[in-house]
mmCIF file with all atom_site columns, all heavy atoms in Angstrom:
data_model
loop_
_atom_site.group_PDB
_atom_site.id
_atom_site.type_symbol
_atom_site.label_atom_id
_atom_site.label_alt_id
_atom_site.label_comp_id
_atom_site.label_asym_id
_atom_site.label_entity_id
_atom_site.label_seq_id
_atom_site.pdbx_PDB_ins_code
_atom_site.Cartn_x
_atom_site.Cartn_y
_atom_site.Cartn_z
_atom_site.occupancy
_atom_site.B_iso_or_equiv
_atom_site.pdbx_formal_charge
_atom_site.auth_seq_id
_atom_site.auth_comp_id
_atom_site.auth_asym_id
_atom_site.auth_atom_id
_atom_site.pdbx_PDB_model_num
ATOM 1   N N   . HIS A 1 1  ? -4.421 6.850  6.988  1.00 72.00 ? 1432 HIS A N   1
ATOM 2   C CA  . HIS A 1 1  ? -4.602 5.618  6.210  1.00 72.00 ? 1432 HIS A CA  1
ATOM 3   C C   . HIS A 1 1  ? -4.847 5.899  4.728  1.00 72.00 ? 1432 HIS A C   1
ATOM 4   O O   . HIS A 1 1  ? -4.596 5.046  3.884  1.00 72.00 ? 1432 HIS A O   1
ATOM 5   C CB  . HIS A 1 1  ? -5.766 4.815  6.792  1.00 72.00 ? 1432 HIS A CB  1
ATOM 6   C CG  . HIS A 1 1  ? -5.574 4.428  8.230  1.00 72.00 ? 1432 HIS A CG  1
ATOM 7   N ND1 . HIS A 1 1  ? -4.606 3.535  8.627  1.00 72.00 ? 1432 HIS A ND1 1
ATOM 8   C CD2 . HIS A 1 1  ? -6.201 4.846  9.361  1.00 72.00 ? 1432 HIS A CD2 1
ATOM 9   C CE1 . HIS A 1 1  ? -4.654 3.398  9.941  1.00 72.00 ? 1432 HIS A CE1 1
ATOM 10  N NE2 . HIS A 1 1  ? -5.599 4.177  10.411 1.00 72.00 ? 1432 HIS A NE2 1
ATOM 11  N N   . GLU A 1 2  ? -5.330 7.077  4.415  1.00 77.00 ? 1433 GLU A N   1
ATOM 12  C CA  . GLU A 1 2  ? -5.670 7.401  3.032  1.00 77.00 ? 1433 GLU A CA  1
ATOM 13  C C   . GLU A 1 2  ? -4.410 7.794  2.254  1.00 77.00 ? 1433 GLU A C   1
ATOM 14  O O   . GLU A 1 2  ? -3.525 8.476  2.770  1.00 77.00 ? 1433 GLU A O   1
ATOM 15  C CB  . GLU A 1 2  ? -6.662 8.576  3.014  1.00 77.00 ? 1433 GLU A CB  1
ATOM 16  C CG  . GLU A 1 2  ? -7.223 8.884  1.644  1.00 77.00 ? 1433 GLU A CG  1
ATOM 17  C CD  . GLU A 1 2  ? -8.250 10.000 1.707  1.00 77.00 ? 1433 GLU A CD  1
ATOM 18  O OE1 . GLU A 1 2  ? -8.467 10.557 2.802  1.00 77.00 ? 1433 GLU A OE1 1
ATOM 19  O OE2 . GLU A 1 2  ? -8.819 10.308 0.655  1.00 77.00 ? 1433 GLU A OE2 1
ATOM 20  N N   . VAL A 1 3  ? -4.315 7.330  1.024  1.00 79.00 ? 1434 VAL A N   1
ATOM 21  C CA  . VAL A 1 3  ? -3.228 7.747  0.139  1.00 79.00 ? 1434 VAL A CA  1
ATOM 22  C C   . VAL A 1 3  ? -3.558 9.128  -0.411 1.00 79.00 ? 1434 VAL A C   1
ATOM 23  O O   . VAL A 1 3  ? -4.594 9.311  -1.056 1.00 79.00 ? 1434 VAL A O   1
ATOM 24  C CB  . VAL A 1 3  ? -3.024 6.742  -1.011 1.00 79.00 ? 1434 VAL A CB  1
ATOM 25  C CG1 . VAL A 1 3  ? -1.932 7.230  -1.950 1.00 79.00 ? 1434 VAL A CG1 1
ATOM 26  C CG2 . VAL A 1 3  ? -2.664 5.367  -0.458 1.00 79.00 ? 1434 VAL A CG2 1
ATOM 27  N N   . LEU A 1 4  ? -2.698 10.105 -0.167 1.00 82.00 ? 1435 LEU A N   1
ATOM 28  C CA  . LEU A 1 4  ? -2.964 11.481 -0.560 1.00 82.00 ? 1435 LEU A CA  1
ATOM 29  C C   . LEU A 1 4  ? -2.118 11.873 -1.773 1.00 82.00 ? 1435 LEU A C   1
ATOM 30  O O   . LEU A 1 4  ? -1.025 11.338 -1.969 1.00 82.00 ? 1435 LEU A O   1
ATOM 31  C CB  . LEU A 1 4  ? -2.663 12.425 0.607  1.00 82.00 ? 1435 LEU A CB  1
ATOM 32  C CG  . LEU A 1 4  ? -3.475 12.163 1.889  1.00 82.00 ? 1435 LEU A CG  1
ATOM 33  C CD1 . LEU A 1 4  ? -3.007 13.081 3.005  1.00 82.00 ? 1435 LEU A CD1 1
ATOM 34  C CD2 . LEU A 1 4  ? -4.959 12.346 1.636  1.00 82.00 ? 1435 LEU A CD2 1
ATOM 35  N N   . PRO A 1 5  ? -2.573 12.823 -2.546 1.00 85.00 ? 1436 PRO A N   1
ATOM 36  C CA  . PRO A 1 5  ? -1.827 13.229 -3.752 1.00 85.00 ? 1436 PRO A CA  1
ATOM 37  C C   . PRO A 1 5  ? -0.714 14.238 -3.468 1.00 85.00 ? 1436 PRO A C   1
ATOM 38  O O   . PRO A 1 5  ? -0.192 14.845 -4.413 1.00 85.00 ? 1436 PRO A O   1
ATOM 39  C CB  . PRO A 1 5  ? -2.926 13.854 -4.624 1.00 85.00 ? 1436 PRO A CB  1
ATOM 40  C CG  . PRO A 1 5  ? -3.892 14.424 -3.642 1.00 85.00 ? 1436 PRO A CG  1
ATOM 41  C CD  . PRO A 1 5  ? -3.898 13.471 -2.475 1.00 85.00 ? 1436 PRO A CD  1
ATOM 42  N N   . ILE A 1 6  ? -0.368 14.438 -2.221 1.00 85.00 ? 1437 ILE A N   1
ATOM 43  C CA  . ILE A 1 6  ? 0.709  15.353 -1.833 1.00 85.00 ? 1437 ILE A CA  1
ATOM 44  C C   . ILE A 1 6  ? 1.666  14.599 -0.917 1.00 85.00 ? 1437 ILE A C   1
ATOM 45  O O   . ILE A 1 6  ? 1.309  13.572 -0.321 1.00 85.00 ? 1437 ILE A O   1
ATOM 46  C CB  . ILE A 1 6  ? 0.158  16.610 -1.126 1.00 85.00 ? 1437 ILE A CB  1
ATOM 47  C CG1 . ILE A 1 6  ? -0.650 16.215 0.108  1.00 85.00 ? 1437 ILE A CG1 1
ATOM 48  C CG2 . ILE A 1 6  ? -0.674 17.457 -2.083 1.00 85.00 ? 1437 ILE A CG2 1
ATOM 49  C CD1 . ILE A 1 6  ? -1.118 17.395 0.944  1.00 85.00 ? 1437 ILE A CD1 1
ATOM 50  N N   . PRO A 1 7  ? 2.896  15.093 -0.760 1.00 87.00 ? 1438 PRO A N   1
ATOM 51  C CA  . PRO A 1 7  ? 3.854  14.421 0.126  1.00 87.00 ? 1438 PRO A CA  1
ATOM 52  C C   . PRO A 1 7  ? 3.390  14.414 1.589  1.00 87.00 ? 1438 PRO A C   1
ATOM 53  O O   . PRO A 1 7  ? 2.828  15.397 2.080  1.00 87.00 ? 1438 PRO A O   1
ATOM 54  C CB  . PRO A 1 7  ? 5.131  15.251 -0.031 1.00 87.00 ? 1438 PRO A CB  1
ATOM 55  C CG  . PRO A 1 7  ? 4.975  15.974 -1.318 1.00 87.00 ? 1438 PRO A CG  1
ATOM 56  C CD  . PRO A 1 7  ? 3.515  16.232 -1.466 1.00 87.00 ? 1438 PRO A CD  1
ATOM 57  N N   . VAL A 1 8  ? 3.623  13.295 2.259  1.00 88.00 ? 1439 VAL A N   1
ATOM 58  C CA  . VAL A 1 8  ? 3.312  13.152 3.684  1.00 88.00 ? 1439 VAL A CA  1
ATOM 59  C C   . VAL A 1 8  ? 4.577  12.690 4.399  1.00 88.00 ? 1439 VAL A C   1
ATOM 60  O O   . VAL A 1 8  ? 5.194  11.699 4.004  1.00 88.00 ? 1439 VAL A O   1
ATOM 61  C CB  . VAL A 1 8  ? 2.181  12.135 3.925  1.00 88.00 ? 1439 VAL A CB  1
ATOM 62  C CG1 . VAL A 1 8  ? 1.966  11.920 5.431  1.00 88.00 ? 1439 VAL A CG1 1
ATOM 63  C CG2 . VAL A 1 8  ? 0.891  12.598 3.274  1.00 88.00 ? 1439 VAL A CG2 1
ATOM 64  N N   . VAL A 1 9  ? 4.956  13.430 5.435  1.00 90.00 ? 1440 VAL A N   1
ATOM 65  C CA  . VAL A 1 9  ? 6.073  13.027 6.296  1.00 90.00 ? 1440 VAL A CA  1
ATOM 66  C C   . VAL A 1 9  ? 5.492  12.743 7.668  1.00 90.00 ? 1440 VAL A C   1
ATOM 67  O O   . VAL A 1 9  ? 4.849  13.614 8.278  1.00 90.00 ? 1440 VAL A O   1
ATOM 68  C CB  . VAL A 1 9  ? 7.153  14.125 6.374  1.00 90.00 ? 1440 VAL A CB  1
ATOM 69  C CG1 . VAL A 1 9  ? 8.246  13.709 7.352  1.00 90.00 ? 1440 VAL A CG1 1
ATOM 70  C CG2 . VAL A 1 9  ? 7.748  14.381 4.994  1.00 90.00 ? 1440 VAL A CG2 1
ATOM 71  N N   . ALA A 1 10 ? 5.702  11.538 8.149  1.00 87.00 ? 1441 ALA A N   1
ATOM 72  C CA  . ALA A 1 10 ? 5.113  11.105 9.421  1.00 87.00 ? 1441 ALA A CA  1
ATOM 73  C C   . ALA A 1 10 ? 6.181  11.039 10.506 1.00 87.00 ? 1441 ALA A C   1
ATOM 74  O O   . ALA A 1 10 ? 7.169  10.318 10.366 1.00 87.00 ? 1441 ALA A O   1
ATOM 75  C CB  . ALA A 1 10 ? 4.449  9.742  9.257  1.00 87.00 ? 1441 ALA A CB  1
ATOM 76  N N   . VAL A 1 11 ? 5.994  11.797 11.570 1.00 89.00 ? 1442 VAL A N   1
ATOM 77  C CA  . VAL A 1 11 ? 6.877  11.737 12.733 1.00 89.00 ? 1442 VAL A CA  1
ATOM 78  C C   . VAL A 1 11 ? 6.231  10.778 13.725 1.00 89.00 ? 1442 VAL A C   1
ATOM 79  O O   . VAL A 1 11 ? 5.153  11.059 14.262 1.00 89.00 ? 1442 VAL A O   1
ATOM 80  C CB  . VAL A 1 11 ? 7.079  13.121 13.367 1.00 89.00 ? 1442 VAL A CB  1
ATOM 81  C CG1 . VAL A 1 11 ? 7.994  13.016 14.581 1.00 89.00 ? 1442 VAL A CG1 1
ATOM 82  C CG2 . VAL A 1 11 ? 7.646  14.104 12.358 1.00 89.00 ? 1442 VAL A CG2 1
ATOM 83  N N   . SER A 1 12 ? 6.864  9.631  13.950 1.00 77.00 ? 1443 SER A N   1
ATOM 84  C CA  . SER A 1 12 ? 6.309  8.588  14.828 1.00 77.00 ? 1443 SER A CA  1
ATOM 85  C C   . SER A 1 12 ? 4.900  8.189  14.383 1.00 77.00 ? 1443 SER A C   1
ATOM 86  O O   . SER A 1 12 ? 4.040  7.889  15.212 1.00 77.00 ? 1443 SER A O   1
ATOM 87  C CB  . SER A 1 12 ? 6.283  9.056  16.286 1.00 77.00 ? 1443 SER A CB  1
ATOM 88  O OG  . SER A 1 12 ? 7.582  9.336  16.747 1.00 77.00 ? 1443 SER A OG  1
ATOM 89  N N   . GLY A 1 13 ? 4.674  8.178  13.095 1.00 67.00 ? 1444 GLY A N   1
ATOM 90  C CA  . GLY A 1 13 ? 3.364  7.795  12.583 1.00 67.00 ? 1444 GLY A CA  1
ATOM 91  C C   . GLY A 1 13 ? 3.314  6.360  12.103 1.00 67.00 ? 1444 GLY A C   1
ATOM 92  O O   . GLY A 1 13 ? 2.257  5.749  12.045 1.00 67.00 ? 1444 GLY A O   1
ATOM 93  N N   . HIS A 1 14 ? 4.483  5.812  11.712 1.00 67.00 ? 1445 HIS A N   1
ATOM 94  C CA  . HIS A 1 14 ? 4.596  4.424  11.277 1.00 67.00 ? 1445 HIS A CA  1
ATOM 95  C C   . HIS A 1 14 ? 3.596  4.107  10.170 1.00 67.00 ? 1445 HIS A C   1
ATOM 96  O O   . HIS A 1 14 ? 2.860  3.122  10.221 1.00 67.00 ? 1445 HIS A O   1
ATOM 97  C CB  . HIS A 1 14 ? 4.421  3.470  12.458 1.00 67.00 ? 1445 HIS A CB  1
ATOM 98  C CG  . HIS A 1 14 ? 5.315  3.789  13.621 1.00 67.00 ? 1445 HIS A CG  1
ATOM 99  N ND1 . HIS A 1 14 ? 6.661  3.502  13.618 1.00 67.00 ? 1445 HIS A ND1 1
ATOM 100 C CD2 . HIS A 1 14 ? 5.067  4.399  14.804 1.00 67.00 ? 1445 HIS A CD2 1
ATOM 101 C CE1 . HIS A 1 14 ? 7.199  3.906  14.764 1.00 67.00 ? 1445 HIS A CE1 1
ATOM 102 N NE2 . HIS A 1 14 ? 6.257  4.458  15.495 1.00 67.00 ? 1445 HIS A NE2 1
ATOM 103 N N   . ILE A 1 15 ? 3.574  4.964  9.150  1.00 66.00 ? 1446 ILE A N   1
ATOM 104 C CA  . ILE A 1 15 ? 2.699  4.748  7.991  1.00 66.00 ? 1446 ILE A CA  1
ATOM 105 C C   . ILE A 1 15 ? 3.456  3.892  6.992  1.00 66.00 ? 1446 ILE A C   1
ATOM 106 O O   . ILE A 1 15 ? 4.436  4.339  6.393  1.00 66.00 ? 1446 ILE A O   1
ATOM 107 C CB  . ILE A 1 15 ? 2.286  6.096  7.361  1.00 66.00 ? 1446 ILE A CB  1
ATOM 108 C CG1 . ILE A 1 15 ? 1.563  6.979  8.389  1.00 66.00 ? 1446 ILE A CG1 1
ATOM 109 C CG2 . ILE A 1 15 ? 1.388  5.856  6.155  1.00 66.00 ? 1446 ILE A CG2 1
ATOM 110 C CD1 . ILE A 1 15 ? 1.272  8.384  7.894  1.00 66.00 ? 1446 ILE A CD1 1
ATOM 111 N N   . ARG A 1 16 ? 3.037  2.663  6.815  1.00 66.00 ? 1447 ARG A N   1
ATOM 112 C CA  . ARG A 1 16 ? 3.778  1.708  6.005  1.00 66.00 ? 1447 ARG A CA  1
ATOM 113 C C   . ARG A 1 16 ? 3.301  1.687  4.561  1.00 66.00 ? 1447 ARG A C   1
ATOM 114 O O   . ARG A 1 16 ? 2.547  0.821  4.134  1.00 66.00 ? 1447 ARG A O   1
ATOM 115 C CB  . ARG A 1 16 ? 3.669  0.312  6.622  1.00 66.00 ? 1447 ARG A CB  1
ATOM 116 C CG  . ARG A 1 16 ? 4.296  0.206  7.994  1.00 66.00 ? 1447 ARG A CG  1
ATOM 117 C CD  . ARG A 1 16 ? 5.790  0.413  7.912  1.00 66.00 ? 1447 ARG A CD  1
ATOM 118 N NE  . ARG A 1 16 ? 6.411  0.453  9.234  1.00 66.00 ? 1447 ARG A NE  1
ATOM 119 C CZ  . ARG A 1 16 ? 7.286  1.354  9.607  1.00 66.00 ? 1447 ARG A CZ  1
ATOM 120 N NH1 . ARG A 1 16 ? 7.631  2.311  8.771  1.00 66.00 ? 1447 ARG A NH1 1
ATOM 121 N NH2 . ARG A 1 16 ? 7.819  1.333  10.817 1.00 66.00 ? 1447 ARG A NH2 1
ATOM 122 N N   . ARG A 1 17 ? 3.715  2.702  3.806  1.00 66.00 ? 1448 ARG A N   1
ATOM 123 C CA  . ARG A 1 17 ? 3.452  2.702  2.362  1.00 66.00 ? 1448 ARG A CA  1
ATOM 124 C C   . ARG A 1 17 ? 4.452  3.647  1.703  1.00 66.00 ? 1448 ARG A C   1
ATOM 125 O O   . ARG A 1 17 ? 5.023  4.535  2.349  1.00 66.00 ? 1448 ARG A O   1
ATOM 126 C CB  . ARG A 1 17 ? 2.015  3.094  2.056  1.00 66.00 ? 1448 ARG A CB  1
ATOM 127 C CG  . ARG A 1 17 ? 1.595  4.452  2.550  1.00 66.00 ? 1448 ARG A CG  1
ATOM 128 C CD  . ARG A 1 17 ? 0.214  4.799  2.010  1.00 66.00 ? 1448 ARG A CD  1
ATOM 129 N NE  . ARG A 1 17 ? -0.194 6.130  2.419  1.00 66.00 ? 1448 ARG A NE  1
ATOM 130 C CZ  . ARG A 1 17 ? -0.926 6.396  3.487  1.00 66.00 ? 1448 ARG A CZ  1
ATOM 131 N NH1 . ARG A 1 17 ? -1.328 5.396  4.252  1.00 66.00 ? 1448 ARG A NH1 1
ATOM 132 N NH2 . ARG A 1 17 ? -1.258 7.634  3.796  1.00 66.00 ? 1448 ARG A NH2 1
ATOM 133 N N   . THR A 1 18 ? 4.642  3.467  0.426  1.00 67.00 ? 1449 THR A N   1
ATOM 134 C CA  . THR A 1 18 ? 5.680  4.216  -0.285 1.00 67.00 ? 1449 THR A CA  1
ATOM 135 C C   . THR A 1 18 ? 5.327  5.682  -0.450 1.00 67.00 ? 1449 THR A C   1
ATOM 136 O O   . THR A 1 18 ? 6.197  6.496  -0.759 1.00 67.00 ? 1449 THR A O   1
ATOM 137 C CB  . THR A 1 18 ? 5.920  3.597  -1.673 1.00 67.00 ? 1449 THR A CB  1
ATOM 138 O OG1 . THR A 1 18 ? 4.680  3.560  -2.387 1.00 67.00 ? 1449 THR A OG1 1
ATOM 139 C CG2 . THR A 1 18 ? 6.472  2.181  -1.552 1.00 67.00 ? 1449 THR A CG2 1
ATOM 140 N N   . SER A 1 19 ? 4.067  6.059  -0.249 1.00 69.00 ? 1450 SER A N   1
ATOM 141 C CA  . SER A 1 19 ? 3.672  7.449  -0.448 1.00 69.00 ? 1450 SER A CA  1
ATOM 142 C C   . SER A 1 19 ? 3.955  8.323  0.769  1.00 69.00 ? 1450 SER A C   1
ATOM 143 O O   . SER A 1 19 ? 3.676  9.518  0.749  1.00 69.00 ? 1450 SER A O   1
ATOM 144 C CB  . SER A 1 19 ? 2.170  7.525  -0.783 1.00 69.00 ? 1450 SER A CB  1
ATOM 145 O OG  . SER A 1 19 ? 1.403  6.962  0.267  1.00 69.00 ? 1450 SER A OG  1
ATOM 146 N N   . ALA A 1 20 ? 4.494  7.736  1.840  1.00 80.00 ? 1451 ALA A N   1
ATOM 147 C CA  . ALA A 1 20 ? 4.800  8.516  3.042  1.00 80.00 ? 1451 ALA A CA  1
ATOM 148 C C   . ALA A 1 20 ? 6.222  8.212  3.494  1.00 80.00 ? 1451 ALA A C   1
ATOM 149 O O   . ALA A 1 20 ? 6.724  7.100  3.327  1.00 80.00 ? 1451 ALA A O   1
ATOM 150 C CB  . ALA A 1 20 ? 3.815  8.184  4.159  1.00 80.00 ? 1451 ALA A CB  1
ATOM 151 N N   . ILE A 1 21 ? 6.863  9.235  4.062  1.00 86.00 ? 1452 ILE A N   1
ATOM 152 C CA  . ILE A 1 21 ? 8.198  9.067  4.628  1.00 86.00 ? 1452 ILE A CA  1
ATOM 153 C C   . ILE A 1 21 ? 8.078  9.124  6.151  1.00 86.00 ? 1452 ILE A C   1
ATOM 154 O O   . ILE A 1 21 ? 7.448  10.033 6.709  1.00 86.00 ? 1452 ILE A O   1
ATOM 155 C CB  . ILE A 1 21 ? 9.161  10.161 4.129  1.00 86.00 ? 1452 ILE A CB  1
ATOM 156 C CG1 . ILE A 1 21 ? 9.336  10.038 2.618  1.00 86.00 ? 1452 ILE A CG1 1
ATOM 157 C CG2 . ILE A 1 21 ? 10.508 10.058 4.820  1.00 86.00 ? 1452 ILE A CG2 1
ATOM 158 C CD1 . ILE A 1 21 ? 10.224 11.100 2.019  1.00 86.00 ? 1452 ILE A CD1 1
ATOM 159 N N   . ASN A 1 22 ? 8.680  8.167  6.825  1.00 88.00 ? 1453 ASN A N   1
ATOM 160 C CA  . ASN A 1 22 ? 8.591  8.081  8.275  1.00 88.00 ? 1453 ASN A CA  1
ATOM 161 C C   . ASN A 1 22 ? 9.875  8.574  8.939  1.00 88.00 ? 1453 ASN A C   1
ATOM 162 O O   . ASN A 1 22 ? 10.971 8.150  8.573  1.00 88.00 ? 1453 ASN A O   1
ATOM 163 C CB  . ASN A 1 22 ? 8.346  6.635  8.700  1.00 88.00 ? 1453 ASN A CB  1
ATOM 164 C CG  . ASN A 1 22 ? 6.979  6.133  8.284  1.00 88.00 ? 1453 ASN A CG  1
ATOM 165 O OD1 . ASN A 1 22 ? 5.998  6.377  8.967  1.00 88.00 ? 1453 ASN A OD1 1
ATOM 166 N ND2 . ASN A 1 22 ? 6.911  5.443  7.153  1.00 88.00 ? 1453 ASN A ND2 1
ATOM 167 N N   . ILE A 1 23 ? 9.717  9.467  9.906  1.00 90.00 ? 1454 ILE A N   1
ATOM 168 C CA  . ILE A 1 23 ? 10.827 9.864  10.772 1.00 90.00 ? 1454 ILE A CA  1
ATOM 169 C C   . ILE A 1 23 ? 10.646 9.055  12.047 1.00 90.00 ? 1454 ILE A C   1
ATOM 170 O O   . ILE A 1 23 ? 9.705  9.273  12.815 1.00 90.00 ? 1454 ILE A O   1
ATOM 171 C CB  . ILE A 1 23 ? 10.800 11.371 11.094 1.00 90.00 ? 1454 ILE A CB  1
ATOM 172 C CG1 . ILE A 1 23 ? 10.576 12.199 9.816  1.00 90.00 ? 1454 ILE A CG1 1
ATOM 173 C CG2 . ILE A 1 23 ? 12.070 11.776 11.815 1.00 90.00 ? 1454 ILE A CG2 1
ATOM 174 C CD1 . ILE A 1 23 ? 11.644 12.048 8.763  1.00 90.00 ? 1454 ILE A CD1 1
ATOM 175 N N   . GLU A 1 24 ? 11.529 8.090  12.276 1.00 89.00 ? 1455 GLU A N   1
ATOM 176 C CA  . GLU A 1 24 ? 11.304 7.114  13.337 1.00 89.00 ? 1455 GLU A CA  1
ATOM 177 C C   . GLU A 1 24 ? 12.470 7.047  14.310 1.00 89.00 ? 1455 GLU A C   1
ATOM 178 O O   . GLU A 1 24 ? 13.637 7.088  13.915 1.00 89.00 ? 1455 GLU A O   1
ATOM 179 C CB  . GLU A 1 24 ? 11.080 5.721  12.737 1.00 89.00 ? 1455 GLU A CB  1
ATOM 180 C CG  . GLU A 1 24 ? 9.856  5.622  11.850 1.00 89.00 ? 1455 GLU A CG  1
ATOM 181 C CD  . GLU A 1 24 ? 9.691  4.239  11.259 1.00 89.00 ? 1455 GLU A CD  1
ATOM 182 O OE1 . GLU A 1 24 ? 10.692 3.616  10.878 1.00 89.00 ? 1455 GLU A OE1 1
ATOM 183 O OE2 . GLU A 1 24 ? 8.540  3.786  11.182 1.00 89.00 ? 1455 GLU A OE2 1
#
């Protein structure tokens, strides 16, 4: 849930914000 200062790639994480990329 926290916005981090590094890239985040979520596999089946469904993080809905522009700072994360979702692999769905």
Side-chain angles (χ1 to χ4, degrees):
H1432 301 293
E1433 187 177 3
V1434 177
L1435 301 175
I1437 58 174
V1439 175
V1440 176
V1442 180
S1443 299
H1445 308 285
I1446 301 173
R1447 296 295 174 226
R1448 59 172 183 266
T1449 56
S1450 59
I1452 297 178
N1453 292 277
I1454 313 299
E1455 298 179 321

